[in-house]
PDB file of all heavy atoms in Angstrom:
ATOM      1  N   ALA A  46       2.391 -16.350   2.108  1.00 97.00           N
ATOM      2  CA  ALA A  46       1.833 -17.598   1.618  1.00 97.00           C
ATOM      3  C   ALA A  46       0.970 -17.424   0.373  1.00 97.00           C
ATOM      4  O   ALA A  46       0.765 -18.326  -0.386  1.00 97.00           O
ATOM      5  CB  ALA A  46       1.002 -18.281   2.735  1.00 97.00           C
ATOM      6  N   ARG A  47       0.456 -16.182   0.149  1.00 98.00           N
ATOM      7  CA  ARG A  47      -0.365 -15.907  -1.000  1.00 98.00           C
ATOM      8  C   ARG A  47       0.404 -15.167  -2.104  1.00 98.00           C
ATOM      9  O   ARG A  47      -0.193 -14.604  -3.030  1.00 98.00           O
ATOM     10  CB  ARG A  47      -1.577 -15.052  -0.592  1.00 98.00           C
ATOM     11  CG  ARG A  47      -2.662 -15.907   0.040  1.00 98.00           C
ATOM     12  CD  ARG A  47      -3.799 -15.052   0.620  1.00 98.00           C
ATOM     13  NE  ARG A  47      -3.615 -14.905   2.057  1.00 98.00           N
ATOM     14  CZ  ARG A  47      -4.585 -14.583   2.916  1.00 98.00           C
ATOM     15  NH1 ARG A  47      -5.823 -14.354   2.482  1.00 98.00           N
ATOM     16  NH2 ARG A  47      -4.347 -14.502   4.212  1.00 98.00           N
ATOM     17  N   SER A  60      -1.851  -5.236 -16.896  1.00 98.00           N
ATOM     18  CA  SER A  60      -2.019  -5.366 -18.345  1.00 98.00           C
ATOM     19  C   SER A  60      -3.246  -4.574 -18.806  1.00 98.00           C
ATOM     20  O   SER A  60      -3.324  -4.128 -19.941  1.00 98.00           O
ATOM     21  CB  SER A  60      -2.070  -6.823 -18.790  1.00 98.00           C
ATOM     22  OG  SER A  60      -3.205  -7.452 -18.224  1.00 98.00           O
ATOM     23  N   SER A  76       7.869   9.909  -8.424  1.00 98.00           N
ATOM     24  CA  SER A  76       8.884   8.864  -8.760  1.00 98.00           C
ATOM     25  C   SER A  76       8.297   7.500  -8.608  1.00 98.00           C
ATOM     26  O   SER A  76       8.752   6.518  -9.193  1.00 98.00           O
ATOM     27  CB  SER A  76      10.137   9.031  -7.859  1.00 98.00           C
ATOM     28  OG  SER A  76       9.801   8.869  -6.491  1.00 98.00           O
ATOM     29  N   TYR A  94      -5.762  15.803  -5.711  1.00 97.00           N
ATOM     30  CA  TYR A  94      -5.837  14.398  -5.343  1.00 97.00           C
ATOM     31  C   TYR A  94      -7.296  14.013  -5.174  1.00 97.00           C
ATOM     32  O   TYR A  94      -8.080  14.750  -4.576  1.00 97.00           O
ATOM     33  CB  TYR A  94      -5.150  14.200  -3.939  1.00 97.00           C
ATOM     34  CG  TYR A  94      -3.794  14.691  -3.784  1.00 97.00           C
ATOM     35  CD1 TYR A  94      -3.472  15.559  -2.742  1.00 97.00           C
ATOM     36  CD2 TYR A  94      -2.748  14.276  -4.623  1.00 97.00           C
ATOM     37  CE1 TYR A  94      -2.180  16.019  -2.528  1.00 97.00           C
ATOM     38  CE2 TYR A  94      -1.473  14.699  -4.427  1.00 97.00           C
ATOM     39  CZ  TYR A  94      -1.171  15.565  -3.394  1.00 97.00           C
ATOM     40  OH  TYR A  94       0.113  16.022  -3.214  1.00 97.00           O
ATOM     41  N   PRO A 108      -9.754  -2.054 -13.082  1.00 98.00           N
ATOM     42  CA  PRO A 108     -10.029  -3.485 -12.985  1.00 98.00           C
ATOM     43  C   PRO A 108     -10.652  -3.840 -11.624  1.00 98.00           C
ATOM     44  O   PRO A 108     -10.333  -3.137 -10.658  1.00 98.00           O
ATOM     45  CB  PRO A 108      -8.618  -4.139 -13.097  1.00 98.00           C
ATOM     46  CG  PRO A 108      -7.784  -3.091 -13.783  1.00 98.00           C
ATOM     47  CD  PRO A 108      -8.335  -1.755 -13.372  1.00 98.00           C
ATOM     48  N   LEU A 117      -7.391 -11.003   1.702  1.00 98.00           N
ATOM     49  CA  LEU A 117      -6.179 -10.665   2.462  1.00 98.00           C
ATOM     50  C   LEU A 117      -6.382  -9.393   3.322  1.00 98.00           C
ATOM     51  O   LEU A 117      -6.021  -9.383   4.509  1.00 98.00           O
ATOM     52  CB  LEU A 117      -4.998 -10.446   1.495  1.00 98.00           C
ATOM     53  CG  LEU A 117      -3.647 -10.009   2.097  1.00 98.00           C
ATOM     54  CD1 LEU A 117      -3.067 -11.172   2.909  1.00 98.00           C
ATOM     55  CD2 LEU A 117      -2.689  -9.600   1.010  1.00 98.00           C
ATOM     56  N   ALA A 121      -6.431  -9.305   7.387  1.00 98.00           N
ATOM     57  CA  ALA A 121      -5.356  -8.495   8.048  1.00 98.00           C
ATOM     58  C   ALA A 121      -6.040  -7.452   9.004  1.00 98.00           C
ATOM     59  O   ALA A 121      -5.638  -7.316  10.164  1.00 98.00           O
ATOM     60  CB  ALA A 121      -4.462  -7.842   7.032  1.00 98.00           C
ATOM     61  N   HIS A 190       9.176  -8.099   1.990  1.00 98.00           N
ATOM     62  CA  HIS A 190       8.256  -8.874   1.145  1.00 98.00           C
ATOM     63  C   HIS A 190       7.270  -9.659   2.047  1.00 98.00           C
ATOM     64  O   HIS A 190       7.706 -10.431   2.906  1.00 98.00           O
ATOM     65  CB  HIS A 190       9.095  -9.843   0.329  1.00 98.00           C
ATOM     66  CG  HIS A 190       8.262 -10.765  -0.552  1.00 98.00           C
ATOM     67  ND1 HIS A 190       7.688 -10.298  -1.732  1.00 98.00           N
ATOM     68  CD2 HIS A 190       7.925 -12.053  -0.412  1.00 98.00           C
ATOM     69  CE1 HIS A 190       7.036 -11.299  -2.286  1.00 98.00           C
ATOM     70  NE2 HIS A 190       7.147 -12.376  -1.514  1.00 98.00           N
ATOM     71  N   HIS A 205       3.175   9.709   7.128  1.00 96.00           N
ATOM     72  CA  HIS A 205       4.015   8.601   6.767  1.00 96.00           C
ATOM     73  C   HIS A 205       4.631   8.793   5.418  1.00 96.00           C
ATOM     74  O   HIS A 205       4.068   9.518   4.577  1.00 96.00           O
ATOM     75  CB  HIS A 205       3.216   7.329   6.828  1.00 96.00           C
ATOM     76  CG  HIS A 205       2.036   7.306   5.931  1.00 96.00           C
ATOM     77  ND1 HIS A 205       0.828   7.926   6.259  1.00 96.00           N
ATOM     78  CD2 HIS A 205       1.883   6.835   4.693  1.00 96.00           C
ATOM     79  CE1 HIS A 205      -0.002   7.837   5.257  1.00 96.00           C
ATOM     80  NE2 HIS A 205       0.628   7.187   4.259  1.00 96.00           N
ATOM     81  N   ARG A 220      14.004  -6.231  -9.317  1.00 98.00           N
ATOM     82  CA  ARG A 220      14.583  -4.955  -8.721  1.00 98.00           C
ATOM     83  C   ARG A 220      13.478  -3.962  -8.495  1.00 98.00           C
ATOM     84  O   ARG A 220      13.480  -2.819  -8.956  1.00 98.00           O
ATOM     85  CB  ARG A 220      15.611  -4.359  -9.717  1.00 98.00           C
ATOM     86  CG  ARG A 220      16.939  -5.041  -9.738  1.00 98.00           C
ATOM     87  CD  ARG A 220      17.835  -4.366 -10.723  1.00 98.00           C
ATOM     88  NE  ARG A 220      18.353  -3.076 -10.288  1.00 98.00           N
ATOM     89  CZ  ARG A 220      18.900  -2.172 -11.068  1.00 98.00           C
ATOM     90  NH1 ARG A 220      19.027  -2.408 -12.390  1.00 98.00           N
ATOM     91  NH2 ARG A 220      19.371  -1.061 -10.603  1.00 98.00           N
ATOM     92  N   ARG A 222       9.945  -2.743  -5.743  1.00 98.00           N
ATOM     93  CA  ARG A 222       9.048  -2.970  -4.574  1.00 98.00           C
ATOM     94  C   ARG A 222       7.643  -2.599  -5.048  1.00 98.00           C
ATOM     95  O   ARG A 222       7.481  -1.575  -5.717  1.00 98.00           O
ATOM     96  CB  ARG A 222       9.443  -2.099  -3.413  1.00 98.00           C
ATOM     97  CG  ARG A 222       8.398  -2.111  -2.273  1.00 98.00           C
ATOM     98  CD  ARG A 222       8.790  -1.214  -1.096  1.00 98.00           C
ATOM     99  NE  ARG A 222       7.833  -1.343  -0.023  1.00 98.00           N
ATOM    100  CZ  ARG A 222       6.908  -0.428   0.274  1.00 98.00           C
ATOM    101  NH1 ARG A 222       6.833   0.724  -0.374  1.00 98.00           N
ATOM    102  NH2 ARG A 222       6.061  -0.632   1.286  1.00 98.00           N
ATOM    103  N   ALA A 230     -12.769   3.953   0.310  1.00 98.00           N
ATOM    104  CA  ALA A 230     -12.675   5.331  -0.152  1.00 98.00           C
ATOM    105  C   ALA A 230     -14.051   6.023  -0.205  1.00 98.00           C
ATOM    106  O   ALA A 230     -14.153   7.214   0.082  1.00 98.00           O
ATOM    107  CB  ALA A 230     -12.038   5.416  -1.540  1.00 98.00           C
TER     108      ALA A 230
END
Side-chain angles (χ1 to χ4, degrees):
R47 281 173 261 200
S60 64
S76 60
Y94 306 127
L117 178 69
H190 179 77
H205 58 279
R220 284 179 74 195
R222 170 180 185 256

